[in-house]
Amino acid sequence: MRVMLVHPSALMYSELFLRLEPLGLERVAAAIREAGHEVRVVDLQVLSRDLLDRELVSYAPEVLGIGLNYLANIPEAIEIAQMTKTVLPHCFVFLGGHSVSFIADHVLEQADGAVDAVVRGEGEPAMAPLMAAVRDGGLKSVPGLVSTAGRGPAPLLLDSLDEPRPARDLMRKRNRYFIGELDPCASIEFTRGCPWDCSFCSAWTFYGRSYRKASPEAAAEEMASIREPNVFIVDDVAFIRPEHGDGIAAELERRRIRKRYYLETRSDVLLRNEEVFARWRRLGLKYMFLGMEAIDAEGLDLYRKRVSPDDNFRALERARKLGITVAVNLIVDPAWDEERFRVVREFALSVPEIVHLTVMTPYPGTEVWHTEARQLTTRDYRLFDIQHAVVPTTLPLDAFYRELVRTQAVINRKHLGLRTAAGALGVLGRNLARGQTNFARMLWKFGRVYNAERQLADHARPVRYHLPLPERRATPGRRELYVHTRPVRIRTADGTAPAEPDGAPASEADGTAPAG
């Protein structure tokens, strides 16, 4: 069969700071191709909607899948599905991805027949049975599938991260993918899942707190196949297991692979496994993203980060000594007033690190969704992009956005103002010499992308598709939040299995659980 996979358009944050290749969609494409089908991918982050319209006619897919890792893309996905059914009434349309997995039934209902099914959970294991069911019938047998005909069996976790390898050859305009000055930039996955349980995050609820690792040999082999000089390691928390990070490093050293790397990790993981990060610094690790989330103990406790402010600041010092540039994220609480914004601006100016701000947003699949969602001031999917306030603000909404943009602008000038112009121009020149313009465009787009008037006006747009509310306000048990579940056993030093408050294991897969 002819299959087309679509990634929706870039969100507000991606307009400026990064545009990442759709690694999940590439792996799903590989699984479909391995099942014997023809696949085409259209990434609307880098390709036009006009091109999609034309290729729906010229390619005439029999199956169309839309990846939905981001809640804010759901209205666009439904519109694409509706347009597809208009052009190709018999095309089977399905949605998949992280965000839609938590609200599959609701989105199916809103699509009003334009979407035939939603694949919950990891997509790779579901693709071969889904393609067979579309061709031969039997949708109810497909793991993780939700359709108007009912639900299939529980979604499956991929047995091994070593396969399928991402179908990077299907991507067009790969030079448009970047993160900061790493332009162009590919992406790679070494591990999947997160054993921690931060209250604002749905990574652990999606994977059922599982944690799986690619083999060092397969990871290095895939890295060797990447043409880009820069690579973003997409793991939720890099190098939780030091022997795994060392194993991949050893394979890269043996193959003499040299690239520039960007990764995400936690402060406590960096402090515990400093030698691994030092080794990767020698391999080319240039940037590290640390989700500090808050600068005080009260905020860290609120988000259940399970680290202290001292841990965070010690981690920043260690990274500086290693020569790694750190970007930190702080979560903006809508309850902040002018004084709190002022304190955050002072902090951001007092440290050499890059500081990013994201607005606290309750998402389906998170614990805060069940405690905060009934306070929502909007149910417009498009505003759930961690750049808009969707719960009541202490300041009037227009004043909140003015303070937010003012703080972002101060931070932006710190890194791209006159004092750092020489360094920025040096990077700009090197990128332009290679024909790369993504970083250059980023330098001049801040004022157009981030402004209080635009953000406030976004709240006044007509809303056609509304986010559902949780059925109850009380926080459910952990396993009720999970998309993926399976029986697990954990070995610890004393032979016991640590458990979550409701009896669910704290981690799985490799037999150990990080302190979380």
Side-chain angles (χ1 to χ4, degrees):
M1 292 188 297
R2 293 183 307 280
V3 182
M4 178 179 285
L5 299 177
V6 179
H7 188 287
S9 305
L11 300 180
M12 184 176 177
Y13 191 82
S14 300
E15 290 182 47
L16 192 62
F17 299 114
L18 53 82
R19 187 185 304 114
L20 301 179
E21 68 173 304
L23 193 62
L25 213 60
E26 291 172 352
R27 292 186 66 127
V28 166
I32 294 172
R33 193 158 61 178
E34 287 181 3
H37 305 280
E38 182 183 348
V39 188
R40 183 172 295 190
V41 180
V42 177
D43 182 1
L44 294 177
Q45 296 180 109
V46 300
L47 301 173
S48 71
R49 183 64 178 267
D50 286 343
L51 181 141
L52 173 61
D53 294 346
R54 293 194 303 271
E55 294 196 353
L56 278 174
V57 175
S58 61
Y59 184 63
E62 298 161 88
V63 178
L64 182 133
I66 305 172
L68 280 170
N69 282 333
Y70 305 112
L71 204 64
N73 285 134
I74 285 178
E76 181 186 12
I78 295 176
E79 290 166 4
I80 292 171
Q82 291 169 336
M83 184 259 293
T84 301
K85 288 292 189 180
T86 300
V87 177
L88 302 166
H90 301 295
C91 180
F92 183 90
V93 178
F94 74 94
L95 309 179
H98 185 105
S99 289
V100 76
S101 291
F102 293 102
I103 52 173
D105 293 292
H106 184 80
V107 173
L108 272 177
E109 181 180 346
Q110 289 191 314
D112 194 24
V115 175
D116 296 292
V118 173
V119 177
R120 298 180 70 241
E122 295 188 342
E124 299 99 329
M127 287 303 103
L130 175 59
M131 296 302 116
V134 171
R135 184 186 57 211
D136 305 325
L139 286 176
K140 288 186 178 180
S141 66
V142 179
L145 199 75
V146 181
S147 71
T148 53
R151 287 179 173 248
L156 299 175
L157 284 168
L158 192 63
D159 287 335
S160 170
L161 297 189
D162 293 357
E163 297 290 341
R165 289 259 294 273
R168 293 188 171 89
D169 60 294
L170 296 179
M171 308 310 297
R172 291 168 274 184
K173 296 190 177 181
R174 288 191 59 85
N175 66 328
R176 297 288 305 280
Y177 300 123
F178 78 105
I179 179 168
E181 71 171 70
L182 299 188
D183 179 13
C185 189
S187 297
I188 196 169
E189 180 181 42
F190 293 157
T191 66
R192 189 175 288 187
C194 181
W196 283 273
D197 61 350
C198 299
S199 63
F200 62 88
C201 181
S202 59
W204 63 276
T205 60
F206 182 85
Y207 294 111
R209 274 184 112 174
S210 65
Y211 178 71
R212 289 158 293 153
K213 308 182 296 291
S215 71
E217 296 78 13
E221 184 179 341
E222 182 180 343
M223 188 73 77
S225 72
I226 293 175
R227 296 182 179 182
E228 287 83 358
N230 309 302
V231 178
F232 177 50
I233 300 168
V234 304
D235 302 14
D236 291 306
V237 184
F239 308 147
I240 293 175
R241 300 309 310 262
E243 68 276 12
H244 186 238
D246 275 330
I248 298 173
E251 290 293 329
L252 296 179
E253 290 164 352
R254 186 172 67 82
R255 291 170 168 82
R256 298 184 179 180
I257 296 172
R258 291 286 303 180
K259 295 185 183 293
R260 295 196 301 172
Y261 300 103
Y262 196 130
L263 58 75
E264 302 182 39
T265 195
R266 287 172 54 100
S267 297
D268 47 357
V269 173
L270 170 60
L271 293 172
R272 189 164 57 238
N273 302 328
E274 182 180 349
E275 296 80 6
V276 178
F277 290 94
R279 186 174 188 177
W280 273 83
R281 177 68 184 92
R282 295 190 293 272
L283 276 171
L285 175 59
K286 183 171 178 62
Y287 286 103
M288 175 187 298
F289 184 87
L290 286 176
M292 284 181 58
E293 321 308 356
I295 58 177
D296 54 31
E298 182 182 3
L300 292 170
D301 289 343
L302 176 66
Y303 301 127
R304 203 163 58 229
K305 284 294 293 184
R306 303 185 190 276
V307 294
S308 68
D310 287 344
D311 288 337
N312 281 333
F313 292 121
R314 285 195 299 123
L316 294 180
E317 292 176 2
R318 296 282 179 87
R320 290 171 201 152
K321 290 179 180 178
L322 292 174
I324 300 170
T325 300
V326 176
V328 302
N329 183 70
L330 298 180
I331 296 177
V332 177
D333 192 324
W336 285 5
D337 57 13
E338 289 98 335
E339 175 61 17
R340 189 59 178 171
F341 276 108
R342 184 193 65 77
V343 169
V344 169
R345 284 194 293 271
E346 287 188 356
F347 164 77
L349 293 174
S350 70
V351 296
E353 284 74 27
I354 301 165
V355 180
H356 291 299
L357 302 178
T358 57
V359 180
M360 193 283 290
T361 305
Y363 281 106
T366 66
E367 286 192 7
V368 294
W369 171 250
H370 292 273
T371 58
E372 301 289 337
R374 293 192 184 278
Q375 302 179 46
L376 293 177
T377 57
T378 176
R379 291 168 57 197
D380 183 354
Y381 284 107
R382 297 167 297 180
L383 298 179
F384 285 74
D385 62 354
I386 62 175
Q387 299 301 304
H388 290 83
V390 298
V391 298
T393 55
T394 295
L395 294 170
L397 189 59
D398 58 342
F400 174 83
Y401 281 134
R402 284 197 299 271
E403 286 293 324
L404 175 63
V405 171
R406 178 187 177 193
T407 305
Q408 290 167 322
V410 167
I411 295 169
N412 185 62
R413 286 196 299 272
K414 166 188 157 187
H415 297 287
L416 299 176
L418 291 176
R419 288 179 297 175
T420 55
L425 288 174
V427 173
L428 177 62
R430 290 192 295 272
N431 287 344
L432 290 176
R434 297 194 305 270
Q436 290 299 126
T437 62
N438 297 305
F439 181 68
R441 294 172 187 272
M442 181 189 81
L443 295 179
W444 313 116
K445 286 174 66 175
F446 181 87
R448 188 166 75 250
V449 174
Y450 283 95
N451 66 79
E453 291 75 19
R454 171 189 174 178
Q455 286 170 279
L456 188 63
D458 287 341
H459 288 261
R461 294 178 295 185
V463 182
R464 183 176 179 185
Y465 302 107
H466 294 269
L467 187 69
L469 288 173
E471 294 180 1
R472 58 182 180 179
R473 188 180 182 115
T475 304
R478 298 296 179 86
R479 285 188 175 272
E480 293 178 68
L481 294 172
Y482 292 166
V483 170
H484 287 284
T485 58
R486 64 180 181 183
V488 296
R489 293 183 180 277
I490 307 172
R491 296 183 304 276
T492 60
D494 61 1
T496 61
E500 298 184 70
D502 65 350
S507 183
E508 62 171 88
D510 64 355
T512 58

